């Protein structure tokens, strides 16, 4: 303050020129002081724009956050078009379809279906397109180009065929070359036909022992199971050789010859016809009617069943030759319960076979097919009634095995129309049915308790109830 006063007072005594010079010096001094103050001021009092400052601060924070994210490596999940569970911390591509599974609580992700079609469309757009200028190419040019294209395709196809044939030739060798190699090794390749010829010759040779003959028949039975092989057996007379084997004095030869014949007859009409003409039916019935080992009779009965099934002409001849009497004697013999069940099964098959043939003819309205006429000439049911099979079948219910009872019940039902009066006159049959009814009611109850909806014993009980209902 004092300095200001002194300057004012001094200036009052100075001339005007000196006063102007002093004012300039004083102005320069004040400007220097002001500049110095600005350069050394506290940053807290800096003059800045608040709006620009906040923007810069936000950019700085975002940059810091991005750097922090970049420093952490995230696991990228690659979804498919099926829902898949997403684990915590996994990242998914943009556009993925994410949902929360309310049952498991897990997040699930998949690609959207429209992405699939969009990708397919992009793939199609990326494909090269052949732009044909119709003004440039004539129809003849196009036909010529198409012909060349087809020719090229055929050439390519022929090349592929040749390559495939060459590959097959490398993998497989002709049979002639294999035969040569086997001949050098003393090994002979035989067809089924050649094997059967060799086996028949071995069986028919007088120099072969009993064991060799049995072994030949055993091996032959394996081959004649095939229909074509069984028919080939006819071409060189092998079937007749085996039929003649039924006349052998050796029970084993009879047994295994019948074994071969049963396999050859089965569902083979051509062989069945040749067998009837060759006398096989008579020979089989003779063996069953004479004293023979049980094992031999089993095989012979097997051959007889194979010959009669689905062959009405053989069934006619069977009745004419007294076949029902032979089977009745076989069933009534002691110790032949196994054979009795097989005989009852055969009779059931023959009865139902004829019934089905007649029903089929009625449905198709065919009144005179040859096979139906042959079945109508088979008078099986009257023969069964006359030979006492109504009573014989009923008494077989006493067999202890459930399977045997089942077959007997089936046969009783098939014979019901023919044997109804005989059943009524047989008090033993009614008592047996009532006894079996009580037994199978208990067994059926056990099945129900075990939770079996369709039980075996319930079916047997139903058959018994049906018979009892018919007989009351």
């Amino acid at each position: 303050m004092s300095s200001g006063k002194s300057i004012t007072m001094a200036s009052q005594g100075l001339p005007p020129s000196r006063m102007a010079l002093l004012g300039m010096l004083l102005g320069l001094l004040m400007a220097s002081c002001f500049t110095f103050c600005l350069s050394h001021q506290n940053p807290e009092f800096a003059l800045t724009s608040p709006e620009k400052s906040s923007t810069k601060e936000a950019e700085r924070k975002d940059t810091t956050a991005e750097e922090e994210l970049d420093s952490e490596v995230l696991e990228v999940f690659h979804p498919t078009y099926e829902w898949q569970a997403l684990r915590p911390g996994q990242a998914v591509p943009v556009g993925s379809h994410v949902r929360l599974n309310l049952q498991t609580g897990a997040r699930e992700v998949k690609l959207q279906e429209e992405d699939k079609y969009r990708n397919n469309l992009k793939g199609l757009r990326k494909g090269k397109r052949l732009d044909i200028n119709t003004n440039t190419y004539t129809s003849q040019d196009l036909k010529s180009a198409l012909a060349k294209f087809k020719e090229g395709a055929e050439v390519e196809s022929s090349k592929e065929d040749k390559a495939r044939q060459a590959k097959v030739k490398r993998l497989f060798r002709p049979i002639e070359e294999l035969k040569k190699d086997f001949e050098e090794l003393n090994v002979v390749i035989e067809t089924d036909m050649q094997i059967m010829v060799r086996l028949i010759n071995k069986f028919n040779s007088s120099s072969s022992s009993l064991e060799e003959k049995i072994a030949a028949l055993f091996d032959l039975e394996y081959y004649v199971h095939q229909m074509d092989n069984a028919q080939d057996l006819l071409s060189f007379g092998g079937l007749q050789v085996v039929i003649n084997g039924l006349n052998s004095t050796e029970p084993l030869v009879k047994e295994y010859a019948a074994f071969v014949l049963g396999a050859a007859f089965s569902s083979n009409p051509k062989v069945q016809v040749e067998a009837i003409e060759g006398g096989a039916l008579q020979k089989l019935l003779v063996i069953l009617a004479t004293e023979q080992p049980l094992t031999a009779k089993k095989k012979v009965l097997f051959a007889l069943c194979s010959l009669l099934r689905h062959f009405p002409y053989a069934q006619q001849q069977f009745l004419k030759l007294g076949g029902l009497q032979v089977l009745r004697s076989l069933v009534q013999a002691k110790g032949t319960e196994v054979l009795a069940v097989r005989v009852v099964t055969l009779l059931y098959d023959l009865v139902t076979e004829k019934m089905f043939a007649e029903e089929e003819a009625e449905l198709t309205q065919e009144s005179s097919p040859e096979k139906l006429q042959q079945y109508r000439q088979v008078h099986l049911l009257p023969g069964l009634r006359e030979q006492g099979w109504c009573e014989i079948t009923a008494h077989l219910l006493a067999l202890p095995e459930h399977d045997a009872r089942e077959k007997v019940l089936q046969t009783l039902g098939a014979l019901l129309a023919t044997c109804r009066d005989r059943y009524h006159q047989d008090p033993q049959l009614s008592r047996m049915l009532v006894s079996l009814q009580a037994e199978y009611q208990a067994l059926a109850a056990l099945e129900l308790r075990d939770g079996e909806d369709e039980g075996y014993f319930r079916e047997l009980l139903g058959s018994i109830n049906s018979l009892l209902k018919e007989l009351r």
Side-chain angles (χ1 to χ4, degrees), residues 137-158:
Y137 300 97
T138 64
S139 61
Q140 188 62 34
D141 294 336
L142 295 176
K143 289 180 180 179
S144 177
L146 183 59
K148 291 181 180 179
F149 175 76
K150 289 183 177 179
E151 182 180 354
E154 291 176 357
V155 171
E156 187 68 23
S157 178
S158 63

Side-chain angles (χ1 to χ4, degrees), residues 62-82:
D62 291 341
T63 304
T64 305
E66 289 177 358
E67 290 176 355
E68 290 177 356
L69 287 176
D70 290 340
S71 62
E72 181 183 0
V73 179
L74 295 177
E75 179 184 357
V76 179
F77 182 81
H78 299 283
T80 63
Y81 293 105
E82 301 293 334

Side-chain angles (χ1 to χ4, degrees), residues 269-287:
K270 187 175 181 179
V271 179
Q272 288 176 321
V273 171
E274 294 289 336
I276 287 290
E277 295 179 355
L281 180 59
Q282 296 90 327
K283 299 180 189 305
L284 293 172
L285 291 175
V286 168
I287 295 175

